Amino acid sequence: MFSILKQVQDYAKESWQAAKYIGQGLSVTFDHMQRRPITVQYPYEKLVPSERYRGRIHFEFDKCISCEVCVRVCPINLPVVDWEFDKQVKKKKLNHYSIDFGVCIFCGNCVEYCPTNCLSMTEEYELASYDRHELNYDNVALGRLPYKVTQDPMVTPLREFAYLPKGTNEPHGLPSGSQRAGKRPEEILKEIEAARPKPKEEVN
Amino acid sequence: MNSGIDLQGSFIQTLQDFGLPLGVAKAFWLPLPMLLMIIGATVGVLVVVWLERKISAAAQQRIGPEYAGPLGVLQPVADGIKLVFKEDVIPAKADPWLFTMGPVLVVVPVFLSYLIVPFGQNLIVTDLNVGIFLWIALSSIAPIGLLMAGYSSNNKYSLLGGLRAAAQSISYEIPLALSVLAIVMMSNSLSTIDIVEQQSGYGILGWNIWRQPVGFIIFWIAALAECERLPFDLPEAEEELVAGYQTEYSGMKFALFYLGSYVNLVLSALVFAVLYLGGWEFFIPLDKLADWIGIADTTPWLQVFTASLGIIMTLVKAYFLVFIAILLRWTVPRVRIDQLLDLGWKFMLPVSLANLLITAALKLAFPVAFGG
């Protein structure tokens, strides 16, 4: 007799708890409705990529020594280095260089290991094309510099969250010259140099 | 008692004054409310689609449709026009007749149910004395259409979606009908007009929500399941079944399904407002207020005012419920099929039965408060 009553009581309690949790969830959803949108209206507004952004790779033809380190460090040996040995100057002569960005995973190993710094990462990320073969960039295409978001008159550049001043999370309508939270790299460098003891004169 | 505006009576009277016989005058009147109902339901859907997209966007901190018209209000119209101009594909080896009949069978009963939704004392297409029963009966035709659509598509996802839709509708129709039955028992009538009348007189305190708190929740859960709204949208669960019974549909036939689901949502919200939130009644009893100030019941401007307020109140209540449904969509995760049937048969059915019995007992014990 009492066990049935207890069962009913437990059942009622569980139903009440379920209702309570759904209510709590509803209040969370309702609270979100009065928050500002965090979206970026993409073709009209664009985020400024951070300085460590790994976008399309840039290549400087004249700096390359055809050492093929980029091919060796690449996870799938992607860069195609076409060179021939020039017997007169006893050096490798680079004919063609290409990277297929349809296959590249933008890990940045080639940029990291290039001995002559002829490879570098850009902030270009709009690589859409109608044919996947168009993503196979040759040395001319790799040598092009991307447009900067900040210089495009059609686009409102917006800062990423980490680059906003302290306490704000709204990139729209920032006052000009406002700086991100924390110290900038050059400030840190200046502080380190100021704190370092000045080199003493050599004592014999 | 017949307060408020009688549009039908005055329209027929006017035509008769022009010298038309009574039958012809009535024939002229007949298509008007039907047309108005179809237009009203379609516009209501456009509003709901826009609201759904905007509220969903707000709940997810997005902006939502913005460029089609001011604040994107024309977005549903644009969607509709796009669907009208799309190619009508019937998949290979599908049954063309059943495939075409499916969406029709889903949409037509939903539109028919608008017959019994009252917006005022005389602002209703037909005051049937089996009104609310008609709604329940018509809403059980839709799953046949869904099953037809799913079965005839020659697609396993469609078939599974159709079967799920049928199972879901059947298991949630019973608690829905039982909770409606409790209301009907309290108002001693199946007519939607009488159900609202029974709640009137005390303003917000007289609404059925206070006398039927359990029925109110049961009805809302069952109505969400009937409309296949998010916590119960298993028939079209895109992660499992692509789009359920709609998978093979495109163009106008898909638009019919889409329209039907939203019309059904608005309809459920309207019926809900009628059953539990006092229909067209204002928060305070207006006729008592008018009496107290000293304005006669038959004053023309007062009648126009109460009639328009009635329409606005019905819509406000219905759209408030639609808002709750949209909010629930982004709060509650989808239940599994076994949980769905568990909830329907093991929780909703006994609770709604108990609710019915308790209502009956209360009706016998306190006939004053529970419509003896």
Side-chain angles (χ1 to χ4, degrees), chain B residues 172-287:
Chain B
Y172 279 81
E173 223 141 65
I174 301 163
L176 188 77
L178 284 176
S179 56
V180 169
L181 208 60
I183 293 284
V184 167
M185 201 153 66
M186 277 179 16
S187 14
N188 299 314
S189 169
L190 283 162
S191 153
T192 44
I193 296 276
D194 289 348
I195 289 170
V196 177
E197 281 291 305
Q198 175 262 340
Q199 299 176 56
S200 66
Y202 301 100
I204 193 168
L205 293 174
W207 295 354
N208 273 336
I209 178 170
W210 310 117
R211 285 178 283 183
Q212 285 285 334
V214 178
F216 163 83
I217 292 162
I218 296 283
F219 183 91
W220 187 233
I221 296 174
L224 282 180
E226 287 282 305
C227 298
E228 283 145 22
R229 292 288 308 176
L230 196 84
F232 309 107
D233 72 337
L234 294 122
E236 44 204 273
E238 61 267 22
E239 295 87 352
E240 304 158 22
L241 294 178
V242 189
Y245 53 85
Q246 304 172 352
T247 308
E248 295 291 344
Y249 283 88
S250 72
M252 209 49 222
K253 285 177 193 151
F254 173 76
L256 279 183
F257 273 129
Y258 193 73
L259 187 72
S261 75
Y262 279 100
V263 173
N264 205 358
L265 176 66
V266 180
L267 180 75
S268 298
L270 280 170
V271 172
F272 191 89
V274 166
L275 290 180
Y276 291 97
L277 299 179
W280 65 82
E281 294 292 325
F282 196 58
F283 298 110
I284 45 173
L286 272 184
D287 47 343

Side-chain angles (χ1 to χ4, degrees), chain A residues 56-61 101 118 120-124 127 134 136-147:
Chain A
R56 196 259 294 166
I57 291 162
H58 180 262
F59 174 71
E60 280 176 77
F61 191 85
F101 288 112
C118 69
S120 56
M121 286 295 196
T122 65
E123 54 190 41
E124 185 183 347
L127 295 171
E134 284 173 26
N136 193 354
Y137 279 43
D138 68 349
N139 46 22
V140 180
L142 282 170
R144 292 196 186 107
L145 280 172
Y147 289 107

Side-chain angles (χ1 to χ4, degrees), chain A residues 56-124:
Chain A
R56 196 259 294 166
I57 291 162
H58 180 262
F59 174 71
E60 280 176 77
F61 191 85
D62 298 336
K63 276 190 187 175
C64 184
I65 55 170
S66 313
C67 64
E68 292 192 10
V69 161
C70 48
V71 185
R72 270 185 276 159
V73 296
C74 180
I76 49 168
N77 303 343
L78 187 60
V80 179
V81 190
D82 172 23
W83 54 267
E84 57 190 327
F85 191 71
D86 192 345
K87 281 188 176 145
Q88 256 109 48
V89 287
K90 290 184 179 163
K91 270 183 182 173
K92 287 175 184 170
K93 184 177 158 292
L94 184 63
N95 290 331
H96 296 101
Y97 186 92
S98 67
I99 297 176
D100 188 350
F101 288 112
V103 191
C104 177
I105 60 165
F106 302 95
C107 65
N109 276 354
C110 49
V111 177
E112 193 78 14
Y113 283 96
C114 182
T116 56
N117 282 339
C118 69
L119 289 168
S120 56
M121 286 295 196
T122 65
E123 54 190 41
E124 185 183 347

Side-chain angles (χ1 to χ4, degrees), chain B residues 285-365:
Chain B
L286 272 184
D287 47 343
K288 292 238 170 76
L289 200 67
D291 218 34
W292 185 57
I293 299 171
I295 304 164
D297 244 1
T298 48
T299 320
W301 68 263
L302 184 72
Q303 286 194 345
V304 171
F305 177 72
T306 46
S308 39
L309 194 69
I311 296 173
I312 290 167
M313 280 318 288
T314 318
L315 290 178
V316 163
K317 285 164 186 171
Y319 278 102
F320 172 71
L321 293 164
V322 169
F323 173 73
I324 299 280
I326 296 170
L327 216 57
L328 265 175
R329 175 178 176 174
W330 300 113
T331 307
V332 190
R334 180 187 302 131
V335 294
R336 283 195 317 263
I337 186 80
D338 60 319
Q339 294 170 331
L340 177 95
L341 295 176
D342 247 23
L343 184 71
W345 292 106
K346 291 190 188 165
F347 177 75
M348 308 262 286
L349 185 63
V351 168
S352 57
L353 257 177
N355 180 50
L356 185 68
L357 289 177
I358 290 170
T359 312
L362 283 173
K363 182 171 164 158
L364 288 177

Side-chain angles (χ1 to χ4, degrees), chain B residues 3 9 116 154 165 173 177 309:
Chain B
S3 66
I116 55 111
N154 187 27
E173 223 141 65
L309 194 69

